[in-house]
Amino acid sequence: MRHRSAATALALALFAIPATQVSSMELGEFEYLNSCAQCHGVSGMGDGPVAQHLTQSPADLTVLTTDNGGVFPVKRMYDVIEGTADIGVHGREMPLWGNRYRERAALVEDLEADFPFDPAVHTEDYVRARILSVIEYLSTLQK
C-alpha cells in the first residue's frame, strides 16, 4: 500500500507542469522540476510529495551555499547528481542521474532541437549538459 501511495504521488508530480509553462522554462528548471522536485520539493527544501516515503529525508537544497562557507559547491553537486560522490556507508536513495541520462541518450535518436549535438553520439556531452543545467538552477534556489 505504501508503494502505491508513493507511485501515485510521483505520477501526480511528474505531470503537474502545464505545457504552456514548460516552453518558458530554462533547461535546468525543467530538469529540476521533472527529476528532482518529487523528493526535494519545488522550493528545494526537501518537502516533495515523495519525501515522506523515503527512509532518509531529502536534502534541503536551499542551504548548499550556506553549508559550504558561502560558496556554492559546484563540484560536489556535480558528483552527487552524476553518482560518483562518496555519500556514506549506507548508500543512497537518490537515483544516479548520470546513469539515467546515459540511458536516456542511448534511447534518443535525435534531439538537435534541444542540443547542438546528437545525444546518442555525444553521450557524455549530453550528460554533462543536463547535470550542469540542474546545478545552475540549484544555485538560484540558495537562501
Side-chain angles (χ1 to χ4, degrees):
M1 180 78 138
R2 184 174 180 160
H3 292 291
R4 185 174 189 191
S5 298
T8 302
L10 179 59
L12 290 172
L14 286 175
F15 299 106
I17 307 170
T20 55
Q21 190 178 358
V22 169
S23 65
S24 66
M25 288 182 192
E26 294 291 329
L27 177 60
E29 179 182 12
F30 172 79
E31 197 66 52
Y32 177 83
L33 293 174
N34 188 49
S35 303
C36 312
Q38 295 81 11
C39 298
H40 292 283
V42 172
S43 67
M45 297 175 69
D47 58 353
V50 178
Q52 66 184 341
H53 303 286
L54 302 173
T55 56
Q56 296 177 354
S57 296
D60 180 346
L61 301 175
T62 66
V63 295
L64 297 170
T65 298
T66 302
D67 291 349
N68 194 47
V71 177
F72 186 77
V74 174
K75 173 78 167 106
R76 174 75 177 151
M77 288 300 91
Y78 191 94
D79 292 346
V80 168
I81 294 168
E82 199 277 330
T84 58
D86 178 13
I87 59 171
V89 68
H90 296 292
R92 63 191 279 154
E93 287 186 284
M94 183 174 148
L96 301 172
W97 288 105
N99 289 343
R100 288 193 177 193
Y101 292 140
R102 284 180 191 90
E103 290 170 7
R104 216 183 272 173
L107 297 174
V108 176
E109 290 183 21
D110 185 69
L111 282 183
E112 289 183 31
D114 294 333
F115 294 99
F117 49 80
D118 181 353
V121 174
H122 302 285
T123 300
E124 290 310 307
D125 292 336
Y126 175 80
V127 171
R128 193 173 305 110
R130 290 297 215 199
I131 293 172
L132 289 174
S133 68
V134 171
I135 291 170
E136 181 178 30
Y137 181 70
L138 289 176
S139 72
T140 70
L141 298 180
Q142 301 310 292
K143 291 181 181 177

